């Protein structure tokens, strides 16, 4: 796993993005950059409120932009620098994108101190669906399962 030659430079960029776009009223105080071979491939900042998109967290935006720039759905060989420890959604996106490393500045406790507390979400995700506070009901599995079985047999599928 390669490490960028100047991690502080990239972290400072993530922090600058968090400050700049928070002060501009575009969303919460979060910024992120995806780096490959010492070059920024994608930048992101929190755009939840400005884009009316609850998934528009800095890390997700940076991942989307890096994937678009690289023409790939995986970011192997890349690292992400984020101004705060990723929330569960962003952490999952980072894993799905196959990033090599996460660098973060503020911790989850720092985020909780300013009312961005993800502790409850970390707990909820670990529970079986029937024990979560959000009601979840399995429905029409028999109709959906054949689609999965077709995928399993599909000769030209692109696994991810």
């Amino acid at each position: 796993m390669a490490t960028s030659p100047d991690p502080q430079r990239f972290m400072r960029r993530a922090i600058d993005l968090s400050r700049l776009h928070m002060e501009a009223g575009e969303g919460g105080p979060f910024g992120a950059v995806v780096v490959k071979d010492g070059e920024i491939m994608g930048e992101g900042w929190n755009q939840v409120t400005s884009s009316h998109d609850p998934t528009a967290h800095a890390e997700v935006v940076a991942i989307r932009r890096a994937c678009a720039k690289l023409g790939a759905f995986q970011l192997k060989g890349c690292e992400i620098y984020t101004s705060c420890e990723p929330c569960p959604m962003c952490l999952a996106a980072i894993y799905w994108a196959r990033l090599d490393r996460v660098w973060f500045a503020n911790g989850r406790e720092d985020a909780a101190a300013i009312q961005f507390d993800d502790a409850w979400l970390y707990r909820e995700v670990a529970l079986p669906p029937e024990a979560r506070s959000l009601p979840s009901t399995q429905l029409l599995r028999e109709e959906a399962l054949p689609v999965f079985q077709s995928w399993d047999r599909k000769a030209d599928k692109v696994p991810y």
Side-chain angles (χ1 to χ4, degrees):
M1 168 176 44
T3 296
S4 298
D6 191 359
Q8 291 181 356
R9 174 180 146 229
F10 298 117
M11 184 59 75
R12 286 190 178 103
R13 180 62 184 157
I15 294 167
D16 287 345
L17 289 168
S18 73
R19 179 182 300 107
L20 176 69
H21 294 283
M22 179 268 301
E23 289 174 352
E26 296 178 27
F30 305 98
V33 295
V34 173
V35 175
K36 182 174 186 171
D37 299 327
E39 182 183 343
I40 294 176
M41 296 291 119
E43 296 185 335
W45 50 90
N46 185 284
Q47 299 172 37
V48 169
T49 57
S50 60
S51 68
H52 310 289
D53 179 355
T55 68
H57 289 203
E59 298 91 336
V60 171
V61 173
I63 288 168
R64 288 174 180 164
R65 289 180 175 159
C67 286
K69 181 174 183 170
L70 293 168
F73 59 86
Q74 292 186 347
L75 296 173
K76 292 179 181 174
C78 296
E79 300 177 332
I80 190 164
Y81 294 77
T82 179
S83 64
C84 186
E85 182 179 358
C87 75
M89 177 185 71
C90 293
L91 186 59
I94 289 165
Y95 274 100
W96 277 116
R98 308 295 196 264
L99 286 148
D100 289 358
R101 185 178 188 143
V102 178
W103 299 82
F104 64 92
N106 292 311
R108 66 175 82 174
E109 300 82 11
D110 301 313
I114 60 167
Q115 279 68 65
F116 289 97
D117 189 356
D118 296 325
W120 68 272
L121 190 47
Y122 279 103
R123 288 190 301 272
E124 283 281 308
V125 168
L127 296 172
E130 65 277 3
R132 295 179 186 148
S133 63
L134 178 66
S136 300
T137 305
Q138 190 171 21
L139 182 67
L140 298 178
R141 178 179 181 265
E142 300 79 20
E143 291 182 31
L145 194 55
V147 180
F148 273 22
Q149 293 164 340
S150 292
W151 170 261
D152 191 41
R153 293 186 304 272
K154 188 171 171 44
D156 63 344
K157 68 183 169 197
V158 178
Y160 60 96

